[in-house]
Amino acid sequence: MEQPIPPYLFAFAVGELGFREVGPRTRVYSEAVNGVLDSAAKEFAGTDEMIRQGEKLFGEYVWERFDLLVLPPSFPYGGMENPRMVFLTPTVIRGDSSGAQVVAHELAHSWTGNLITNKNNEHFWLNEGFTTYAERRIVEVVQGEDRATLNIGIGWRSLNEEVERFMDNLEFTKLRTNQEGVDPDAVYSRIPYEKGFQFLFRIERQIGRAAFDEFIKKYISTFKFKSIDTETFLDFLKANVPGIEKDIDLKLWTEGTGIPSDAYEPVSELYGRIRSLANEFKAGRIPREDEVADWKGQGWELYLENLPKSVEASQVLALDAVYKLSESKDYEIKVAFLELAISARCRHYYGEVEKTLKEVGRMKYLRPLYKALVQGTENEQEKVLAKRVFAEARKCYHPIAQGLVESVFAKYL
């Protein structure tokens, strides 16, 4: 490739790989085992349409190829945006094309992150906040406004949870952080993604989508193949949107802790209905099948994440008896359900918890399950289970994932 890239984007893969063509610019690669290759090709069949929509929104796709490599289950992230060949966890293969949302995120990096890169990790939000915004714009066009709104709602929930997680170190709830002497992996969170998205969405709401679209295109064309910092972005924003600092507190958004009061929790009929049904679960009401018919993966994810954590084991069993959530091929649903089961001490599912912790190494799933097992003072059985499973599964985890589990243990054991 002729295009320059920052060194963190350089990667290579070695293995007995097969591939399937899924578009004029896209192949899906993986080891030819367990039907993964065919399943991945089906899941990501709409990739070329996403590339075309991305070009309409953000300008030319300059990397020629957009190939996808499905890695073994030990890969600790959802995806990595290596130019020309994105790396993906096999957990994004869900059987209903909803895993393409992760592909939309990695594709969006082709403009925001790979084309314009944060100068260093203290400005990480410039990569991930912009990319989360761009991902949701692509999803809105390809999958519809309701799906994009659910995406925002799930992100809103995770932003609030992550801010709570860092209550004893609010520095890392800022967009522009001070990471001197800090291992970035130790403070990795969804905050740069979701608070960064919220900041850009706030600007869009202030100046209107049409004007913001023109701003984004100019921003990309001005800084492509460059590394920038937050100050550079803010100077460019103020120069191209005169008076914006009078309408939005830019310093509060970039240097303030927590969530600004003018952040946005989404509003839509589907989003409100799902949250309302989640609130009714505490009283014992399980949603009817006709009420969940249009949910797909994200609807269930939002529902489970909004359930009260103090539910009875009998309620967990009753919900699963109808919808078989513990057997879902969508790990977003499965892990959220198992986390609920652990919090209810519904030990019927601990075999499935152990199986899940041993078959996937994605940190997004390891953290909540291990944390649910070891936090609290009255769960010695769960702590014993967690330590045994980690001892047996450790060698199958990536070193970064091993460190994550160890940090959870250090905090709660």
Side-chain angles (χ1 to χ4, degrees), residues 20-27 45-49 51-52 64-67:
R20 297 285 186 274
E21 301 278 358
V22 295
R25 291 177 277 190
T26 305
R27 287 175 172 175
T47 299
D48 193 65
E49 174 64 14
I51 299 172
R52 292 198 298 270
E64 287 99 36
R65 301 287 306 174
F66 184 72
D67 293 325

Side-chain angles (χ1 to χ4, degrees), residues 214-223 228 230-241:
E214 290 304 311
F215 170 81
I216 289 285
K217 288 178 180 177
K218 186 175 182 181
Y219 166 74
I220 291 171
S221 65
T222 300
F223 296 108
I228 68 170
T230 302
E231 288 68 34
T232 302
F233 168 74
L234 292 177
D235 289 344
F236 182 80
L237 174 65
K238 288 183 282 189
N240 286 274
V241 187

Side-chain angles (χ1 to χ4, degrees), residues 4-30:
I5 59 171
Y8 75 88
L9 288 175
F10 176 79
F12 61 91
V14 179
E16 295 185 24
L17 302 174
F19 68 86
R20 297 285 186 274
E21 301 278 358
V22 295
R25 291 177 277 190
T26 305
R27 287 175 172 175
V28 174
Y29 290 83
S30 81

Side-chain angles (χ1 to χ4, degrees), residues 130-194:
F130 265 95
T131 298
T132 302
Y133 175 86
E135 165 207 334
R136 287 170 181 161
R137 291 294 303 277
I138 294 171
V139 168
E140 181 180 315
V141 174
V142 175
Q143 297 185 351
E145 191 173 338
D146 267 344
R147 296 295 144 196
T149 300
L150 291 185
N151 191 325
I152 296 170
I154 292 166
W156 175 257
R157 178 80 177 183
S158 70
L159 175 59
N160 281 270
E161 289 176 349
E162 293 283 51
V163 168
E164 180 66 26
R165 175 183 152 209
F166 284 101
M167 285 304 291
D168 59 346
N169 197 343
L170 289 172
E171 174 66 26
F172 300 107
T173 68
K174 299 177 181 178
L175 283 184
R176 190 204 185 288
T177 57
N178 178 4
Q179 296 191 16
E180 184 176 356
V182 174
D183 177 357
D185 283 326
V187 294
Y188 175 84
S189 78
R190 297 296 301 177
I191 290 171
Y193 298 72
E194 297 299 342

Side-chain angles (χ1 to χ4, degrees), residues 65-85:
R65 301 287 306 174
F66 184 72
D67 293 325
L68 309 170
L69 172 64
V70 180
L71 274 76
S74 58
F75 187 56
Y77 300 105
M80 180 59 206
E81 63 271 18
N82 313 115
R84 299 172 68 103
M85 182 176 280

Side-chain angles (χ1 to χ4, degrees), residues 146 149-150 152-154 156-157 265-276 302 306:
D146 267 344
T149 300
L150 291 185
I152 296 170
I154 292 166
W156 175 257
R157 178 80 177 183
E265 181 177 8
V267 176
S268 80
E269 188 277 330
L270 179 58
Y271 179 77
R273 174 159 45 93
I274 291 172
R275 291 205 62 190
S276 176
L302 184 68
N306 278 276

